[in-house]
Amino acid sequence: MNFREYIAELLPKIFNYKLARHNLLKPANPITFTFAVSYLCQSRCKTCKIWELYRREPWRKKDELSTEEIEKIFKSLGHVYFFNVSGGEPFLRKDLSEIISLAIEYLTPKIIHIPTNALMPQVIEREVERMLTHMDHKNYRVPFSVKPSIDGIGRDHDRIRGVKGNFDKLLDTVERLKALQKPFPFFHLELGTVISRENIDKIDEIAQFAHSLGVESYRNEIAEQRSEFFNIGDPITPNAKEYMETIEIFARQISENLNQKRQFTKITESLRLVYYDIAIRILKENRQVIPCYAGISNVQMNPYGDIWPCCVLGYEQNMGNVRDYGYNFQKVFHSKKAAEVRGYIKNGNCACPLANQTYSNILCHFSSMIEFGKTILSSDKKKS
């Protein structure tokens, strides 16, 4: 995948999304489909309370979509560019590899991504190898990334993630997954940090350590108050000044090493450089500094079949449940309620630096796209 191929596929959708945002066309299938496969989680993170849900309402675990239901939904959805798995902890779902197989069959994504808390090194290694082997046998070798979380070093990581021994298991998981990159060249191992008030003063140290582990990509996102995480009101988000000072370090590291990266990583990290500038402006100005296409370019499905424009609005702006529409995603996506939710977002009633959504917003914003393209092309010139 190179930059020109990437843009050539997405450009027709971008024009559609711009018209759909103004109710002039029905939106085409989203670029990004995020599926929170389960809210079960062993972590007790200081930035997220999703793990409390099944303690309060244990019956909800049985209400999660079955594999058979997921197949019907995926079949009705059709092709998306980016299939993003979310949670909870995705690897706690025993049928996760089956879900990935169904996504390959019906969604035919060009990128697949799974995050993990890295608390089950052997399980994660086994399941990822199973997925990669299936993809290899199907000759479906699109970029497939797994991103263990690193929010601190040693005891700091365990404290923030709320589980003693998590850091040692993280290191074990990284080594196990690194070994899969050679037999499966389309596999990408990343590390990711949630930047919060719990670790903002140690981000440079965390970044240097993450790079020392030999992973191809290290990314971060800012801790947010999200409906999905049940953390509304928690003072976890750094202010714009703190975030800006931290991001300058990341941006410099990415720029210095960009020309050495593989094409897939080069595209994602170039996009991230543009994202950092926009995220800082959003925190400073508390508004949509570029138009948001949540509910159009991106959608999220929770474990029970609710379709959301994003995980930040979540329960507050539910577009509908696929079970109520005969497992037909398109009926929910083009429903009257979905149109109302998109109108709510278009009118500027929300603003956040959610990374996945901002990436799509950049693609739909001309001047941001120019910056993105210039970054990639300049790194290609340096390499040559």
Side-chain angles (χ1 to χ4, degrees):
M1 179 179 66
N2 61 45
F3 178 65
R4 292 175 180 84
E5 291 171 344
Y6 179 74
I7 296 303
E9 173 164 350
L10 296 182
L11 199 57
K13 285 196 170 186
I14 291 168
F15 284 120
N16 170 274
Y17 296 157
K18 285 181 171 292
L19 294 173
R21 192 169 182 270
H22 295 281
N23 292 319
L24 298 175
L25 276 182
K26 286 186 176 181
N29 265 14
I31 294 173
T32 299
F33 180 69
T34 298
F35 179 22
V37 296
S38 176
Y39 284 155
L40 194 64
C41 190
Q42 325 97 304
S43 297
R44 300 293 182 262
C45 298
K46 291 183 176 295
T47 56
C48 173
K49 295 177 180 175
I50 208 167
W51 55 271
E52 292 184 346
L53 179 61
Y54 290 159
R55 278 190 171 187
R56 296 195 312 266
E57 303 171 13
W59 58 270
R60 279 188 174 269
K61 177 66 179 71
K62 295 180 180 179
D63 198 37
E64 291 184 353
L65 293 164
S66 68
T67 314
E68 292 75 20
E69 290 177 304
I70 292 167
E71 181 172 16
K72 293 177 185 177
I73 297 162
F74 285 5
K75 192 173 183 179
S76 74
L77 171 53
H79 175 65
V80 298
Y81 194 90
F82 179 23
F83 180 54
N84 184 41
V85 176
S86 180
E89 169 51 41
F91 287 94
L92 286 173
R93 267 204 78 135
K94 295 180 180 179
D95 62 349
L96 183 60
S97 61
E98 295 176 60
I99 293 172
I100 297 300
S101 296
L102 291 172
I104 290 169
E105 181 175 357
Y106 295 112
L107 307 184
T108 60
K110 293 296 181 70
I111 302 171
I112 302 171
H113 176 71
I114 308 175
T116 177
N117 60 23
L119 282 170
M120 303 181 295
Q122 291 178 311
V123 172
I124 295 166
E125 177 189 27
R126 183 190 69 223
E127 291 304 305
V128 171
E129 186 172 16
R130 180 183 296 177
M131 296 170 198
L132 293 170
T133 300
H134 173 74
M135 292 173 69
D136 202 38
H137 287 167
K138 297 277 287 185
N139 198 28
Y140 196 86
R141 301 182 185 96
V142 301
F144 179 101
S145 61
V146 175
K147 184 187 71 176
S149 295
I150 178 169
D151 289 344
I153 300 174
R155 292 179 181 177
D156 275 347
H157 180 75
D158 294 355
R159 174 183 61 82
I160 295 169
R161 306 293 296 184
V163 178
K164 187 177 180 180
N166 194 162
F167 187 73
D168 291 338
K169 290 181 178 179
L170 164 64
L171 298 181
D172 188 10
T173 300
V174 168
E175 290 307 309
R176 289 172 182 271
L177 293 181
K178 277 170 65 176
L180 295 176
Q181 292 184 117
K182 188 173 182 179
F184 302 104
F186 56 95
F187 175 56
H188 298 258
L189 175 60
E190 304 179 340
L191 284 173
T193 297
V194 176
I195 301 177
S196 71
R197 291 194 175 278
E198 297 289 337
N199 60 9
I200 187 73
D201 58 334
K202 296 184 178 180
I203 291 299
D204 190 18
E205 178 186 351
I206 297 168
Q208 290 184 36
F209 182 82
H211 286 295
S212 76
L213 294 176
V215 298
E216 184 174 7
S217 178
Y218 170 65
R219 67 169 72 184
N220 59 75
E221 60 182 283
I222 193 163
E224 296 177 85
Q225 297 180 21
R226 301 183 184 178
S227 171
E228 183 185 33
F229 288 173
F230 305 103
N231 63 0
I232 302 299
D234 291 353
I236 57 175
T237 307
N239 62 42
K241 182 176 182 294
E242 292 170 327
Y243 186 61
M244 181 171 62
E245 292 171 352
T246 301
I247 287 310
E248 285 176 353
I249 298 169
F250 288 124
R252 185 172 63 251
Q253 291 173 341
I254 289 174
S255 298
E256 289 172 355
N257 299 297
L258 195 60
N259 63 319
Q260 302 170 19
K261 303 292 185 179
R262 285 190 285 173
Q263 192 67 28
F264 170 70
T265 306
K266 189 182 294 185
I267 289 174
T268 58
E269 295 203 345
S270 296
L271 197 56
R272 202 167 300 140
L273 286 172
V274 182
Y275 161 75
Y276 288 151
D277 289 338
I278 292 172
I280 291 167
R281 288 183 60 198
I282 291 171
L283 291 175
K284 280 182 176 178
E285 301 173 31
N286 192 30
R287 67 180 183 88
Q288 294 179 21
V289 297
I290 64 174
C292 182
Y293 289 81
I296 301 175
S297 66
N298 295 36
V299 293
Q300 173 156 338
M301 183 168 72
N302 75 4
Y304 322 114
D306 292 318
I307 304 297
W308 298 343
C310 65
C311 59
V312 176
L313 294 175
Y315 297 99
E316 300 166 14
Q317 295 294 328
N318 191 346
M319 298 165 79
N321 189 288
V322 286
R323 283 171 168 159
D324 297 332
Y325 288 80
Y327 302 101
N328 190 319
F329 170 85
Q330 300 296 342
K331 288 185 176 180
V332 181
F333 193 51
H334 297 117
S335 67
K336 181 180 177 181
K337 177 60 179 174
E340 291 173 357
V341 170
R342 287 191 276 268
Y344 175 90
I345 296 165
K346 179 181 179 294
N347 291 334
N349 291 301
C350 55
C352 76
L354 180 64
N356 278 336
Q357 183 58 59
T358 306
Y359 297 155
S360 295
N361 295 344
I362 290 168
L363 297 177
C364 297
H365 187 247
F366 183 73
S367 60
S368 298
M369 266 294 294
I370 294 297
E371 288 302 312
F372 171 41
K374 283 166 59 178
T375 303
I376 293 176
L377 295 175
S378 64
S379 69
D380 285 341
K381 288 179 181 177
K382 287 179 183 177
K383 189 173 183 179
S384 59

